[in-house]
Amino acid sequence: MKLLVPVDFSEHSAYALEVAATLARLQDGEIVVLHMMGLSQAVLTKDESQEYEEAHYYMKLAKKKFAAFLDREYLRGIRVTQLVQNYKIFSEINTVAKEQGTDLIVMGSHGISGLSDVFVGSNTEKVVRSSELPVLVIKERMPNFTFNKMVMAWHYKDESVATYRKARDFADAFGAQLHMVYINLPGYHFLSTREIEEKTSRFMQNTGINREVVIYDDYSVEQGLLHYAEKMDADIIAIATHGRKGLAHFLIGSIGEDIANHSKRPVVTFKM
């Protein structure tokens, strides 16, 4: 397995790098570390000699930062490739990931107030929107990260089948258990336990999927997913995203301001 870790040399990107190292060891994998310089147009529109000198200066500065940033005990014995690119558009990370043949993007995030705040309006969401690969988001330092249990919300949509299979394969690659949960919401969307079980049975038969789905009642999909993950003591929460619409489309509108559970668990996204 090859993992791509975009870094800005902050502590949050160091958190992501440490988790990536743990996963790489589990898979006998390697890591590609990407720094996006994002030079301004003002620099790049100077005359050729000035442009070269300034670009060369920033490149040397980035490489110097890399030397210190990658000098970590947890990276010992892992193959690490350094990339410095002048990218400013975060969708270009997807291009790099495909060119490098990576299987997973691991990113750090500053979000602390529930799933939506991790992504909406952030650089992380920009990557999630455009990435064709799974994106694993790390929100705090996890030096002893383990990956045994992953929780994912279940949806009765044909497009969810392919996403479920991606999540299943991801969990299987690490020998982890995938726990599917249907968040039963009050009001118009409410279904009885019997109705959900019958609907699940029909859907499973039509799609050829054989998986137990737990029913969990809550006031929003986000709250239910966070609370169930807490109950299961899950290591990772899996989310299906619409790439063009982003994670905001999946979550916004169902998030209460009074959510008490500020999940620090990693979140992995799979594009539908």
Side-chain angles (χ1 to χ4, degrees):
M1 175 175 282
K2 184 182 283 190
L3 303 99
L4 177 67
V5 184
V7 304
D8 58 4
F9 307 116
S10 68
E11 63 176 357
H12 285 84
S13 56
Y15 299 161
L17 183 61
E18 189 167 12
V19 169
T22 300
L23 297 180
R25 289 192 191 282
L26 289 173
Q27 293 289 311
D28 191 25
E30 59 183 287
I31 298 173
V32 178
V33 185
L34 169 67
H35 176 62
M36 299 166 62
M37 288 195 299
L39 297 183
S40 69
Q41 197 62 31
V43 171
L44 298 179
T45 52
K46 295 180 178 180
D47 67 64
E48 188 172 331
S49 60
Q50 284 182 305
E51 180 180 320
Y52 172 80
E53 289 298 328
E54 293 208 30
H56 183 64
Y57 167 77
Y58 287 115
M59 184 71 74
K60 284 181 64 178
L61 185 62
K63 289 182 176 180
K64 184 177 180 180
K65 287 183 177 180
F66 258 135
F69 189 77
L70 298 178
D71 184 21
R72 300 174 189 270
E73 184 64 32
Y74 57 73
L75 291 175
R76 300 288 186 264
I78 298 175
R79 182 181 176 187
V80 179
T81 302
Q82 304 173 28
L83 284 181
V84 180
Q85 302 284 355
N86 185 40
Y87 290 145
K88 292 191 294 181
I89 303 172
F90 283 83
S91 61
E92 293 175 315
I93 290 181
N94 183 59
T95 302
V96 175
K98 290 195 293 185
E99 289 175 349
Q100 292 294 317
T102 53
D103 305 290
L104 175 69
I105 297 172
V106 186
M107 289 193 70
S109 171
H110 299 266
I112 59 171
S113 304
L115 296 181
S116 65
D117 291 343
V118 174
F119 296 103
V120 178
S122 69
N123 292 335
T124 306
E125 192 213 3
K126 294 170 187 174
V127 174
V128 167
R129 282 191 182 195
S130 57
S131 177
E132 298 172 35
L133 299 175
V135 181
L136 176 61
V137 182
I138 307 299
K139 292 170 274 182
E140 62 178 9
R141 189 178 178 219
M142 309 186 78
N144 299 310
F145 177 71
T146 56
F147 183 18
N148 297 315
K149 289 185 284 187
M150 183 165 77
V151 167
M152 185 175 191
W154 179 260
H155 301 279
Y156 298 99
K157 298 179 181 178
D158 291 338
E159 61 184 356
S160 299
V161 175
T163 310
Y164 155 74
R165 288 180 175 140
K166 291 178 186 177
R168 177 199 61 193
D169 293 345
F170 179 78
D172 288 348
F174 293 97
Q177 295 177 325
L178 175 59
H179 297 268
M180 306 298 299
V181 56
Y182 177 81
I183 309 302
N184 197 22
L185 303 177
Y188 175 76
H189 297 287
F190 177 80
L191 295 173
S192 71
T193 298
R194 182 174 180 177
E195 288 173 324
I196 296 170
E197 289 175 344
E198 290 176 348
K199 191 173 183 179
T200 300
S201 179
R202 289 194 302 270
F203 191 85
M204 296 292 186
Q205 289 176 1
N206 292 335
T207 58
I209 294 173
N210 184 19
R211 172 72 63 172
E212 180 185 359
V213 177
V214 173
I215 302 168
Y216 192 90
D217 298 335
D218 217 318
Y219 294 105
S220 73
V221 173
E222 186 193 32
Q223 287 187 73
L225 199 50
L226 289 174
H227 293 159
Y228 185 70
E230 181 181 24
K231 177 183 177 180
M232 294 296 298
D233 193 23
D235 302 302
I236 293 180
I237 297 174
I239 293 288
T241 66
H242 296 82
R244 193 162 43 85
K245 298 176 182 177
L247 195 71
H249 177 77
F250 180 83
L251 294 172
I252 290 300
S254 65
I255 302 168
E257 296 179 0
D258 60 346
I259 295 177
N261 184 2
H262 293 180
S263 175
K264 293 292 187 69
R265 285 178 173 81
V267 176
V268 61
T269 66
F270 298 93
K271 189 173 182 179
M272 298 182 78

